[in-house]
Amino acid sequence: MTAPAGAGEFEVAVVGSINLDISIPVPHIPAPGETVLGGDGLWSPGGKGANQAVAAARLGRRVAMVGLVGADSAGDNMLSALKADGVAFVGERLADVPTGLAAITVATGGPESGENAIAVSPGANSRLTAERVRSVSAVRDAQVVLTQFEIPLDAVAAAVACARGRVIVNPAPAPQGQPANLGRVVAGAAVVVPNKGELASLVGEPMAANLDEVIDQAKQLSAEAVVVTLGSDGALVVQGGQVAEVAAVAVKAVDTTAAGDAFCGGLADALVEGVDLV
């Protein structure tokens, strides 16, 4: 059910992760056991949840960020960055755990140019509980609720269950195995937005080798609609038995970090606007 236009203080509520990102440009993504000398590191605000919240806010939406950070300097920086982009932090700060951290290597040359490899230490994000999510009125009142899997799945399930607006679930990073409440999360979503790897994980199959297999896997999900992101090949929309391909805008890839998050923030903006999903 979509909340009436103007209902509630926030149009979009993002329930998810807030991380400090440390990005290092490297000639190529390191192989196991390999040390690669890179360029100057960049410390920046990140986390799938925060990235998506900022993307929606930069498109003009009133956005609430529901999450946790530590009572440390990284948390100070993350909250300052959210505020600077007009995102309201409606979460909590924890004194006994650090703010989440992501270490990112970004390839700057060769066939991998623009690609990345990411390791995440969840920190405070791992302490976001279902009870905390249920206590936030913005989750109930927002027109669109957007959530991801860098927080405990119980918290994601609570967001899906509490929301009275449309729910976008970005199942990233891909779930390990088939958790007990995964089915409820997918079934409760208006739109599920996986990439091919995440889609395969959701249905418990190998990654699709071609577009027909992507379509078959997307049709197995019980969400109202599935939007599969395909990188430079665009996106695939499966809704009500209908399939539509959406071409990508042609760009020169510089850094693909948070590209999927920007996509989800833009999708949330469009759903608030009330446009057709395709």
Side-chain angles (χ1 to χ4, degrees):
M1 181 178 73
T2 303
E9 182 179 358
F10 301 105
E11 295 167 301
V12 178
V14 180
V15 181
S17 56
I18 304 170
N19 292 331
L20 169 65
D21 285 356
I22 303 176
S23 301
I24 303 174
V26 292
H28 61 271
I29 303 299
E34 180 185 16
T35 298
V36 176
L37 294 179
D40 293 340
L42 174 66
W43 296 57
S44 59
K48 291 185 180 297
N51 290 339
Q52 294 176 10
V54 167
R58 288 183 179 179
L59 291 168
R61 295 301 165 192
R62 303 189 307 274
V63 181
M65 179 69 227
V66 184
L68 300 174
V69 296
D72 51 17
S73 59
D76 293 339
N77 292 335
M78 297 309 99
L79 297 189
S80 294
L82 288 172
K83 183 177 180 181
D85 269 303
V87 176
F89 177 65
V90 294
E92 298 179 51
R93 302 195 70 173
L94 304 181
D96 56 343
V97 291
T99 297
L101 175 68
I104 306 168
T105 54
V106 181
T108 59
E112 295 179 331
S113 183
E115 293 296 327
N116 62 55
I118 305 174
V120 176
S121 172
N125 298 308
S126 66
R127 276 69 166 183
L128 186 59
T129 63
E131 289 73 21
R132 279 190 167 111
V133 172
R134 285 193 285 264
S135 71
V136 180
S137 61
V139 178
R140 297 188 295 274
D141 298 338
Q143 291 174 253
V144 172
V145 173
L146 175 55
T147 187
Q148 332 73 32
F149 286 6
E150 277 189 337
I151 56 175
L153 198 56
D154 285 348
V156 175
V160 172
C162 291
R164 293 180 290 197
R166 300 186 77 180
V167 177
I168 303 173
V169 172
N170 174 217
Q176 301 300 307
Q178 296 288 311
N181 49 5
L182 181 61
R184 295 201 307 273
V185 167
V186 172
V191 189
V192 176
V193 188
N195 61 25
K196 288 199 299 183
E198 293 151 3
L199 175 62
S201 181
L202 289 178
V203 299
E205 297 180 359
M207 187 183 301
N210 54 57
L211 195 60
D212 287 339
E213 290 184 5
V214 172
I215 294 170
D216 289 342
Q217 290 183 346
K219 286 183 175 179
Q220 294 180 43
L221 300 183
S222 54
E224 291 180 32
V226 180
V227 177
V228 186
T229 56
L230 301 171
S232 60
D233 291 329
L236 185 76
V237 181
V238 178
Q239 182 180 33
Q242 301 298 309
V243 177
E245 294 181 54
V246 180
V249 177
V251 297
K252 179 182 178 181
V254 175
D255 181 354
T256 58
T257 306
D261 297 334
F263 182 97
C264 290
L267 181 57
D269 169 66
L271 291 184
V272 172
E273 190 71 22
V275 302
D276 176 78
L277 181 60
V278 173

